[in-house]
Amino acid sequence: MNIDFLKRLLLFVVLLLVQVLVLNHIHLFDYATPLLYIYFVISFNRNYPKWAILVWSFLLGLSIDIFANTPGVAAASMTLLGLLQPYVLELFMQRDSDEALQPAIFTMGMPKYVYFSLILTFIYCIVFFTVEMFSFFNWGQWILCIITSTALSAVLILVVDNLRKKA
């Protein structure tokens, strides 16, 4: 087996367990839910095959759905995020940059990485909470859930990325 595959599998399992056992039980002010597993899709290398990103994203979303009892919501959102990640990453990369570049604070720089992760997190939260509520009747709560969950998740993603690269 490839060592990169084993690292990716370990990250998959760790993020799944942290989300299911700890973070799914946190709801700050009844709106903000930390969605740290988005980091899994954000961390794919530039040259990673697009089909593999989609498969990994779908499997993580499906696993989250199984444990969180949200049928198809996370799977659909993660699959869309996996589809968009390579294209959003290209917006923040120079054409002459390394093909095997992994998105991180130390490789992209703080401002670019913050914008990159914030865009993907915001897209994920919009899709996730739209499919979950499936109604615009209570649009105030919908907007609050999106904004607060995006902010909390983005902060956690930046912290984890910073800690992961120091280790």
Side-chain angles (χ1 to χ4, degrees):
M1 288 206 147
N2 191 355
I3 191 75
D4 293 330
F5 176 78
L6 292 176
K7 285 181 182 178
R8 179 71 41 196
L9 185 62
L10 179 65
L11 182 64
F12 181 97
V13 171
V14 167
L15 288 175
L16 177 65
L17 289 176
V18 167
Q19 185 68 40
V20 168
L21 297 176
V22 179
L23 298 178
N24 275 354
H25 302 290
I26 298 173
H27 303 287
L28 296 177
F29 311 112
D30 289 333
Y31 294 111
T33 303
L35 304 168
L36 184 60
Y37 58 93
I38 300 170
Y39 178 71
F40 185 75
V41 176
I42 290 173
S43 67
F44 278 108
N45 290 346
R46 184 177 181 185
N47 65 347
Y48 210 83
K50 291 180 175 106
W51 66 268
I53 295 173
L54 285 173
V55 170
W56 277 110
S57 301
F58 174 74
L59 290 176
L60 181 58
L62 185 64
S63 301
I64 295 291
D65 283 335
I66 289 170
F67 290 109
N69 199 19
T70 55
V73 176
S77 305
M78 286 294 284
T79 305
L80 177 67
L81 200 65
L83 178 71
L84 296 177
Q85 190 266 358
Y87 302 107
V88 175
L89 181 60
E90 288 297 319
L91 296 175
F92 296 97
M93 293 286 117
Q94 297 176 356
R95 291 184 185 264
D96 58 347
S97 62
D98 186 22
E99 283 295 318
L101 182 75
Q102 182 177 10
I105 292 172
F106 78 95
T107 58
M108 296 174 68
M110 181 63 99
K112 285 184 180 180
Y113 186 76
V114 168
Y115 290 133
F116 169 67
S117 61
L118 196 60
I119 288 171
L120 287 178
T121 305
F122 185 66
I123 290 170
Y124 180 83
C125 287
I126 287 175
V127 174
F128 183 85
F129 289 111
T130 301
V131 174
E132 184 182 46
M133 290 184 180
F134 210 67
S135 167
F136 291 110
F137 179 71
N138 199 355
W139 62 271
Q141 181 184 2
W142 175 72
I143 290 174
L144 275 173
C145 286
I146 290 171
I147 292 172
T148 56
S149 294
T150 298
L152 185 59
S153 300
V155 168
L156 279 174
I157 287 168
L158 293 174
V159 168
V160 167
D161 188 69
N162 198 19
L163 291 175
R164 186 172 178 221
K165 298 309 170 192
K166 286 184 179 179

